[in-house]
């Protein structure tokens, strides 16, 4: 045991000093040992006497001797660093006692003897023999295990785990092991060793037995530990853990916590059960807000609950935050560019009106004033004046008009009335922009009257190509994550019609992917696969085909093994598109799981150096993104993948290199860490312009909605660095727009609720824009820059806003600080560090957490983030205000 080693080491320093005196030292040591204190000597003699008695033939002496031994062992509490004295003195007799035990005939005495040997084996048993466990099974089972002390129980549970594995290999019965484990678990739980209890049950594969041992005192720590283990477990244990923790929460009637876990499991039946069985109407409202954040729709009769689930008032809540923070004043792009700070001589030329500059300004204006319903370019005081749109050309008008939808995000009434006049424009591009604007406007908000469906569906059949595309994409954005059958009925024929152009079919597939994200819908899967097989190669070569593959992958987002059949079918497609789709489907199926094997598989694909003329290597770029997709949401995995990307950047093929910055953007969306910014800044000056453009967009994603001053400075330097290169400058402008998104009040990060839950809709939106950047020349710099608007599904205010039980605003003081991981720590450690105290509503950065500053109210939400309902604490006593 450890303790013996410690004793030995104490004498080493003296030996080193005096190698000559070694012999002398050893003699001294023996003498010291002989000179035991009187008490110890007496104890030693007593123990020796007992051992002698056990060896005698007179069986009547055995029982008292055993009982005395037992008492001596149990009462010898010594320091943690050394072996208890009775065990130490008994060590020479251990082998002879073992032999003696075998020679005895079966009797209660023999069982007690086995118990004592079991404890002795803890110190002197041979490694790997598992003698503690063997003697425990022979021994008397009616005695409480815990009476031998904590160390013994822990040692025993370690041996149970080893024995369980050994028996599984030889296929022996394991019932007795599980029974013993279930005896130990209550002891662990009673003595604050929740982690040990969970680990033991995990090893003997009986985690489903845990809930019956949990009570109101232990459930919090047990569940916290279990949920934080999920990222580190291999399937199917991870879901098993989530379900068990959910069962425990349900037993303790913590419905909101149970609902969060049901959402993570992704099982609609569990989600409905948690929501519908909650008896408390106020708590139900809180749960409705949790569902709305994840965009899960459950039909209810109650109008108030429907308003919560449909996100009906999201715009109102957001504007109240904006008023509180005093950022209502509309901004113009120049406020963002600050070109007077750019230090190059041609600064005065950059104000020239070029259609490209104006298009960039339209995007910037849209992103910066998103959801504020006010701006200075598009919505002017003079109703008839819409001159800004005409400052851009053709397809540029589409994106400019669509930015109206972004400015009025979530506020359907205001938005529709503003966009309405463009619906009747004679210019097809403006009309297309208006349709897309309606789609953007309805994103993540449900309206009973379904304005988007009504207005967009009639344009799918008629009109120019641009109008059809805008209507298809608009439907995808408006109903993202809603899995509405009406949408699939409209779009499926467009996917399967081989007479249509590839861009329409692919956009329809992408929109279906957005709407049915993570639903594993069979009809859509088979239609997309069928189309891939039936289309001629000349169409499949089209750059648009990658969106067909993405649409297919999104159907399986986060569903792990559910995509196996689809992957098998894709192997049959000989065209390179089959391989691309395979990579995307697999990466998306395991998104956010941190599955190590899948990450390795993706890295293997990036490994090969292919000859571009002979083989298509697009799939390697997708595999690079796959690494980020799978690793995100789990800190250890994310850090490791960042190191891997560094290697890929050094040794990868061009197709891999240009995907690496995009992978950074995906991994750290709206989370600007200094090291990431520096890396991207380096890549943004890369000799390969493709890498540079990807890096600039990634900088926009990483800083999205954070107003990060360091990043703003970097982008201004880039703007002066690229002042002659129109296309790179266009990209820098868009990154600046993203950085100041909604004036710094929104996030694009798909993880919410303490970074525990991944929003499938947000991942889908991010992926759509990132995949567009894998061939930015034909999409973003071509006619389809409006694909950037797919980010709208990931946009969400990064606020904490508190209401009372009737959903009226209720400002309270909260402390906001960096989140600290407190899993498995003793006592009640602080969950945040370096906090500041604010009054709600407040903004939360990516790694921050909030807690209420006083105990006057009890939050009904499990995590203080987003929309939180508060209930007055009946036990709160106001302190005397003197």
């Amino acid at each position: 045991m450890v303790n013996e080693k410690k004793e030995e080491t104490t004498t080493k320093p003296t030996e080193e000093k005096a190698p000559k005196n070694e012999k002398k030292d050893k003699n001294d040591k023996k003498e010291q040992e002989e000179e035991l204190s009187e008490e110890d000597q007496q104890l030693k003699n007593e123990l020796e006497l007992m051992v002698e008695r056990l060896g005698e033939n007179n069986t009547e002496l055995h029982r008292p001797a055993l009982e005395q031994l037992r008492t001596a062992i149990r009462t010898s509490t010594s320091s943690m660093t050394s072996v208890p004295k009775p065990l130490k003195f008994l060590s020479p007799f251990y082998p002879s006692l073992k032999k003696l035990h075998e020679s005895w005939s079966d009797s209660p005495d023999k069982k007690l003897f086995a118990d004592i040997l079991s404890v002795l084996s803890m110190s002197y048993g041979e490694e790997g023999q598992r003698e503690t466990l063997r003697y425990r099974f022979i021994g008397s089972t009616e005695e409480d295990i815990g009476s031998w002390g904590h160390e013994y129980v822990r040692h025993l549970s370690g041996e149970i785990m080893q024995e369980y594995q050994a028996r599984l290999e030889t296929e022996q019965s394991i019932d007795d092991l599980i029974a013993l484990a279930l005896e130990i678990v209550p002891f662990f739980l009673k003595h604050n060793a929740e982690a040990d209890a969970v680990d033991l049950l995990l090893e003997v594969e009986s985690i489903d037995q845990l809930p019956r041992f949990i009570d109101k005192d232990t459930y919090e720590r047990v569940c916290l530990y279990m949920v934080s283990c999920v990222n580190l477990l291999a399937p199917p244990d991870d879901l098993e853990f989530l379900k068990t923790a959910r069962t425990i929460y349900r037993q303790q009637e913590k419905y909101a916590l149970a609902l969060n876990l049901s959402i993570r499991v992704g099982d609609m039946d569990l989600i409905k059960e948690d929501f519908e069985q909650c008896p408390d109407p106020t708590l139900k409202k809180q749960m409705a807000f949790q569902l709305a954040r994840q965009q899960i729709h459950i039909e209810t009769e109650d109008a108030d609950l429907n308003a919560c689930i449909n996100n009906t008032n999201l715009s109102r809540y957001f504007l109240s935050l904006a008023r509180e923070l005093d950022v209502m004043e509309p901004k113009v792009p120049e406020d963002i560019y600050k070109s007077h700070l750019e230090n190059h001589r041609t600064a005065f030329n950059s104000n020239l009106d070029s259609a490209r500059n104006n298009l960039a300004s339209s995007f910037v204006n849209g992103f910066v004033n998103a959801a504020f319903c006010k701006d200075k370019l598009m919505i002017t005081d003079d109703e008839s004046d819409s001159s800004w749109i005409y400052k851009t050309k053709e397809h540029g008008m589409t994106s400019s008009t669509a930015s109206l939808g972004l400015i009025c995000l979530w506020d359907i009434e205001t938005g529709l009335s503003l966009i309405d006049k463009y619906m009747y424009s004679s210019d097809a591009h403006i009309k297309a922009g208006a349709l897309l604007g309606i789609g953007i406007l309805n994103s993540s908000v449900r309206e009973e009257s379904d304005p988007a469906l009504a207005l967009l569906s009639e344009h799918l059949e008629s009109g120019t190509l641009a109008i059809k595309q805008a209507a298809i994409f608009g439907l995808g954005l408006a109903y993202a994550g809603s899995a509405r059958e009406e949408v699939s009925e409209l779009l499926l024929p467009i996917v399967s019609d081989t007479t249509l152009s590839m861009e329409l079919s692919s956009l329809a597939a992408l929109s279906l992917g957005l709407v049915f994200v993570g639903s594993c819908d069979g009809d859509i899967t088979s239609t997309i696969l069928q189309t891939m097989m039936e289309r001629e190669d000349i169409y499949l070569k089209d750059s648009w085909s990658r969106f067909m593959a993405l649409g297919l992958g999104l159907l399986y987002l986060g569903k792990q093994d559910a995509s196996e059949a689809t992957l098998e079918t894709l192997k049959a497609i000989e065209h390179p598109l089959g391989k691309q789709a395979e990579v995307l489907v697999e990466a998306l199926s395991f998104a956010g799981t941190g599955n190590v094997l899948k990450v390795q598989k993706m890295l293997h694909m990036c490994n090969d150096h292919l000859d571009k003329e002979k083989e298509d290597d697009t799939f390697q770029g997708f595999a690079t993104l796959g690494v980020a997709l799978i690793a995100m949401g789990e800190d250890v995995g994310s850090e490791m993948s960042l190191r891997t990307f560094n290697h890929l950047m050094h040794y990868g093929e061009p197709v891999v290199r240009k995907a690496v910055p995009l992978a950074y953007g995906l991994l750290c969306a709206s989370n600007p860490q200094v090291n990431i910014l520096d890396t991207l800044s380096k890549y943004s000056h890369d000799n390969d312009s493709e890498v540079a453009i990807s890096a600039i967009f990634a900088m926009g994603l990483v800083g999205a909605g954070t107003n990060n001053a360091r990043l703003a400075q970097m982008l201004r330097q880039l703007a002066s660095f690229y002042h002659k290169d129109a296309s790179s400058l266009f990209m820098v402008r868009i990154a600046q727009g993203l950085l100041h998104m909604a004036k710094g009040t929104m996030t694009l990060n798909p993880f919410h609720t303490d970074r525990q839950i991944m929003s499938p809709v947000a991942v889908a939106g991010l992926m759509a824009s990132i995949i567009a950047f894998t061939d930015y020349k034909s999409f973003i710099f071509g006619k389809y820059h409006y694909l950037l608007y797919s980010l709208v599904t990931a946009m969400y205010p990064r606020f904490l806003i508190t209401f009372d039980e009737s959903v009226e605003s209720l400002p309270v003081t909260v402390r906001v600080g960096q989140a600290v991981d407190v899993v498995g720590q003793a006592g009640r450690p602080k969950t945040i560090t370096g906090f500041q105290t604010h009054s709600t509503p407040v903004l939360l950065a990516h790694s921050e957490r909030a807690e209420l500053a006083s105990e006057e109210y009890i939050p009904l939400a499990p995590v203080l983030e987003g929309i939180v309902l508060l209930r007055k604490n009946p036990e709160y006593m106001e302190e005397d205000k003197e």
Side-chain angles (χ1 to χ4, degrees):
M1 266 181 80
V2 188
N3 313 343
E4 298 166 54
K5 286 177 191 163
K6 284 193 182 162
E7 284 199 351
E8 285 167 22
T9 51
T10 47
T11 54
K12 286 244 170 90
T14 49
E15 289 175 23
E16 281 167 22
K17 283 179 199 167
K20 291 175 190 170
N21 306 351
E22 261 181 40
K23 282 183 184 168
K24 194 177 163 193
D25 271 8
K26 279 185 181 165
N27 295 342
D28 284 359
K29 198 176 167 191
K30 273 186 187 164
E31 279 167 26
Q32 275 174 8
E33 271 188 8
E34 281 158 20
E35 289 171 22
L36 292 170
S37 66
E38 281 180 21
E39 291 168 20
D40 288 358
Q41 190 62 51
Q42 193 187 347
L43 178 67
K44 193 173 177 194
N45 294 344
E46 276 178 16
L47 290 170
E48 283 171 0
L49 179 68
M50 286 179 228
V51 174
E52 268 172 41
R53 277 194 185 160
L54 290 177
E56 286 174 19
N57 293 339
N58 183 353
T59 49
E60 285 168 13
L61 295 173
H62 291 171
R63 188 79 192 181
L66 286 170
E67 282 180 358
Q68 246 179 309
L69 263 180
R70 178 173 67 186
T71 324
I73 290 173
R74 280 193 190 166
T75 50
S76 66
T77 46
S78 65
S79 69
M80 285 297 286
T81 48
S82 61
V83 181
K85 292 226 165 65
L87 292 184
K88 194 167 149 190
F89 296 145
L90 286 170
S91 69
F93 306 110
Y94 179 64
S96 56
L97 283 173
K98 270 170 67 176
K99 284 185 188 135
L100 188 60
H101 178 262
E102 282 164 22
S103 65
W104 280 19
S105 56
D106 280 344
S107 65
D109 292 357
K110 182 167 181 175
K111 287 190 168 176
L112 181 57
F113 195 1
D115 280 353
I116 291 172
L117 276 175
S118 175
V119 180
L120 288 177
S121 309
M122 177 168 82
S123 306
Y124 306 111
E126 286 173 34
E127 269 298 293
Q129 292 292 312
R130 295 191 279 283
E131 290 184 342
T132 303
L133 187 63
R134 187 164 71 90
Y135 283 120
R136 175 76 212 170
F137 280 138
I138 305 171
S140 55
T141 41
E142 60 271 5
E143 272 199 50
D144 177 27
I145 290 191
S147 60
W148 293 104
H150 209 234
E151 196 51 50
Y152 171 68
V153 180
R154 288 189 58 172
H155 187 85
L156 189 60
S157 79
E159 293 199 354
I160 290 178
M161 295 178 195
Q162 295 170 352
E163 179 71 19
Y164 185 84
Q165 289 306 326
R167 288 201 196 175
L168 278 188
E169 283 160 23
T170 52
E171 296 184 4
Q172 291 168 308
S173 156
I174 44 180
D175 302 343
D176 52 347
L177 282 178
I178 291 176
L180 183 58
L182 294 180
E183 270 179 55
I184 294 180
V185 167
F187 173 81
F188 275 149
L189 290 173
K190 207 159 96 198
H191 293 83
N192 300 332
E194 293 87 353
D196 292 338
V198 174
D199 292 346
L200 176 60
L201 286 178
L202 170 67
E203 289 292 329
V204 298
E205 296 172 22
S206 317
I207 197 74
D208 51 342
Q209 299 292 325
L210 185 60
R212 60 184 190 171
F213 300 115
I214 305 288
D215 56 20
K216 64 179 192 312
D217 302 322
T218 50
Y219 81 92
E220 277 183 52
R221 297 181 46 132
V222 170
C223 290
L224 186 62
Y225 178 72
M226 286 179 71
V227 171
S228 55
C229 286
V230 170
N231 287 329
L232 310 171
L233 293 171
D237 286 338
D238 48 0
L239 289 180
E240 193 63 34
F241 259 51
L242 284 174
K243 285 178 182 161
T244 309
R246 172 187 168 271
T247 314
I248 295 172
Y249 280 141
R250 284 297 303 268
Q251 274 180 3
Q252 301 298 328
E253 297 184 347
K254 301 285 178 225
Y255 291 96
L257 284 158
L259 179 67
N260 273 347
L261 296 182
S262 300
I263 290 174
R264 280 187 68 177
V265 175
D267 184 333
M268 268 316 282
D269 300 336
L270 295 182
I271 294 172
K272 279 192 177 134
E273 187 184 304
D274 288 344
F275 181 67
E276 283 159 9
Q277 290 181 3
C278 172
D280 175 349
T282 321
L283 184 56
K284 214 163 177 174
K285 272 184 204 161
Q286 177 64 63
M287 290 164 77
F289 283 125
Q290 284 168 255
L291 291 171
R293 175 70 181 96
Q294 191 69 352
Q295 290 177 39
I296 295 171
H297 185 72
I298 292 180
E299 295 294 334
T300 60
E301 302 299 313
D302 184 336
D304 288 351
L305 279 180
N306 267 336
C308 301
I309 292 185
N310 292 341
N311 263 332
T312 312
N313 299 322
L314 186 56
S315 173
R316 211 182 77 218
Y317 303 149
F318 177 69
L319 291 172
S320 73
L321 164 83
R323 271 184 220 100
E324 190 72 25
L325 297 172
D326 198 20
V327 289
M328 287 301 285
E329 188 55 35
K331 288 198 176 221
V332 290
E334 183 46 44
D335 298 341
I336 304 302
Y337 302 158
K338 300 192 173 146
S339 36
H340 59 279
L341 295 176
E342 291 171 11
N343 49 0
H344 56 85
R345 293 199 189 121
T346 49
F348 59 90
N349 292 343
S350 63
N351 300 336
L352 293 179
D353 263 359
S354 77
R356 189 101 192 232
N357 275 352
N358 291 343
L359 176 59
S361 296
S362 296
F363 276 115
V364 171
N365 184 51
F367 278 121
V368 170
N369 295 307
F372 282 91
C373 301
K374 271 201 240 146
D375 80 318
K376 289 180 177 168
L377 297 185
M378 301 289 299
I379 309 170
T380 45
D381 297 335
D382 179 3
E383 276 298 310
S384 58
D385 176 34
S386 55
S387 58
W388 176 257
I389 292 178
Y390 294 101
K391 288 186 179 171
T392 52
K393 288 203 191 101
E394 301 171 4
H395 49 82
M397 294 181 179
T398 309
S399 289
S400 290
T401 318
S403 70
L404 265 175
L406 195 54
I407 292 166
C408 302
L409 190 60
W410 307 319
D411 185 345
I412 295 178
E413 273 176 43
T414 316
L416 287 177
S417 60
L418 283 169
I419 294 173
D420 187 56
K421 63 179 177 188
Y422 299 109
M423 289 287 290
Y424 308 107
S425 165
S426 52
D427 185 320
H429 290 292
I430 293 183
K431 193 168 178 182
L435 292 171
L436 185 54
I438 290 173
I440 293 171
L441 180 67
N442 284 280
S443 178
S444 71
V445 179
R446 280 177 76 112
E447 180 70 48
E448 295 304 317
S449 60
D450 277 337
L453 199 60
L455 292 165
L456 296 176
S457 54
E458 60 195 56
H459 294 283
L460 292 174
E461 301 300 323
S462 57
T464 63
L465 187 62
I467 288 179
K468 283 183 188 167
Q469 283 175 335
I472 292 171
F473 191 42
L475 275 173
L477 294 179
Y479 293 103
S482 67
R484 294 283 292 273
E485 285 305 323
E486 299 95 312
V487 181
S488 80
E489 284 161 21
L490 288 169
L491 295 181
L492 272 180
I494 302 176
V495 178
S496 55
D497 186 347
T498 47
T499 58
L500 292 173
S501 71
M502 195 62 190
E503 49 209 71
L504 281 179
S505 293
S506 297
L507 252 184
L510 172 64
S511 288
L512 284 170
L514 287 168
V515 177
F516 289 86
V517 62
S519 67
C520 305
D521 188 291
D523 296 346
I524 302 175
T525 305
S526 54
T527 310
I528 296 180
L529 286 170
Q530 197 65 33
T531 312
M532 283 183 177
M533 290 173 179
E534 286 173 6
R535 284 263 177 174
E536 289 164 19
D537 279 6
I538 180 163
Y539 291 116
L540 295 179
K541 272 204 187 75
D542 189 325
S543 213
W544 274 100
S545 63
R546 66 193 64 208
F547 285 108
M548 199 170 264
L550 176 64
L552 181 61
L554 289 175
L555 296 174
Y556 293 99
L557 180 62
K559 289 289 176 253
Q560 304 205 10
D561 296 327
S563 58
E564 277 179 6
T566 311
L567 289 169
E568 285 306 313
T569 319
L570 284 168
K571 290 194 170 100
I573 298 177
E574 285 161 15
H575 189 274
L577 177 62
K579 182 77 174 161
Q580 293 169 28
E582 213 179 304
V583 175
L584 279 175
V585 171
E586 188 152 15
L588 285 159
S589 306
F590 288 89
T593 56
N595 187 315
V596 186
L597 299 174
K598 296 296 172 194
V599 173
Q600 288 171 352
K601 191 170 175 184
M602 293 291 154
L603 286 171
H604 270 297
M605 290 183 196
C606 306
N607 236 342
D608 309 326
H609 297 287
L610 301 175
D611 183 2
K612 228 175 160 163
E613 277 85 51
K614 292 179 192 148
E615 305 183 65
D616 179 80
D617 59 0
T618 321
F619 74 89
Q620 292 189 311
F622 295 165
T624 313
L625 295 174
V627 175
L629 256 179
I630 297 167
M632 69 182 178
E634 192 249 323
D635 299 340
V636 183
S638 307
E639 266 179 49
M640 285 161 66
S641 58
L642 290 177
R643 257 202 11 237
T644 314
F645 289 145
N646 202 359
H647 295 312
L648 288 176
M649 211 57 194
H650 284 299
Y651 309 114
E653 292 289 307
V655 62
V656 173
R657 291 195 62 210
K658 76 174 182 193
V660 168
L662 297 173
Y664 272 100
L666 182 61
L667 204 56
C668 306
S670 297
N671 178 18
Q673 298 162 5
V674 175
N675 54 339
I676 305 284
L677 294 183
D678 288 347
T679 310
L680 286 173
S681 175
K682 190 171 74 190
Y683 296 156
S684 64
H685 296 79
D686 199 276
N687 295 335
D688 181 349
S689 67
E690 300 196 333
V691 175
I693 297 279
S694 297
I696 296 169
F697 177 59
M699 287 164 94
L701 287 181
V702 170
T706 59
N707 283 355
N708 186 296
R710 186 189 184 111
L711 185 54
Q713 181 56 32
M714 285 177 182
L715 289 170
R716 278 198 295 276
Q717 285 169 349
L718 276 174
S720 47
F721 181 73
Y722 284 123
H723 69 93
K724 286 185 178 151
D725 175 359
S727 50
S728 302
L729 185 62
F730 173 73
M731 216 42 253
V732 175
R733 295 300 183 215
I734 285 181
Q736 285 177 308
L738 284 172
L739 171 63
H740 297 283
M741 183 168 74
K743 301 173 201 164
T745 55
M746 287 195 197
T747 175
L748 287 179
N749 199 294
F751 287 88
H752 57 89
T753 315
D754 223 356
R755 303 184 299 295
Q756 297 276 339
I757 299 178
M758 178 177 83
S759 158
V761 183
V763 176
L766 278 169
M767 277 308 287
S769 61
I770 285 174
I771 294 290
F773 266 90
T774 53
D775 181 12
Y776 63 89
K777 285 191 177 119
S778 34
F779 296 123
I780 307 297
F781 292 174
K783 295 181 184 168
Y784 307 109
H785 28 72
Y786 58 74
L787 286 167
L788 272 174
Y789 286 128
S790 62
L791 289 172
V792 73
T793 59
M795 287 164 64
Y796 196 84
R798 53 190 188 95
F799 60 12
L800 159 63
I801 185 165
T802 46
F803 296 126
D804 61 13
E805 296 188 47
S806 52
V807 199
E808 294 299 320
S809 181
L810 172 69
V812 291
T813 47
V814 290
R815 294 192 282 257
V816 178
Q818 285 295 315
V820 183
D821 187 17
V822 294
V823 178
Q825 289 188 16
R828 304 204 157 204
K830 298 269 184 287
T831 53
I832 56 176
T833 173
F835 58 82
Q836 292 177 319
T837 308
H838 298 283
S839 169
T840 57
V842 293
L843 290 179
L844 297 176
H846 171 261
S847 55
E848 287 183 332
R849 212 182 259 162
E851 54 182 43
L852 292 180
S854 74
E855 295 188 358
E856 188 176 349
Y857 293 98
I858 302 171
L860 295 178
V863 174
L864 289 187
E865 196 175 298
I867 300 162
V868 175
L869 300 185
L870 300 176
R871 173 177 288 168
K872 203 83 172 125
N873 185 350
E875 294 165 12
Y876 177 70
M877 304 284 288
E878 273 205 41
E879 290 161 19
D880 299 334
K881 290 177 179 154
E882 290 176 8

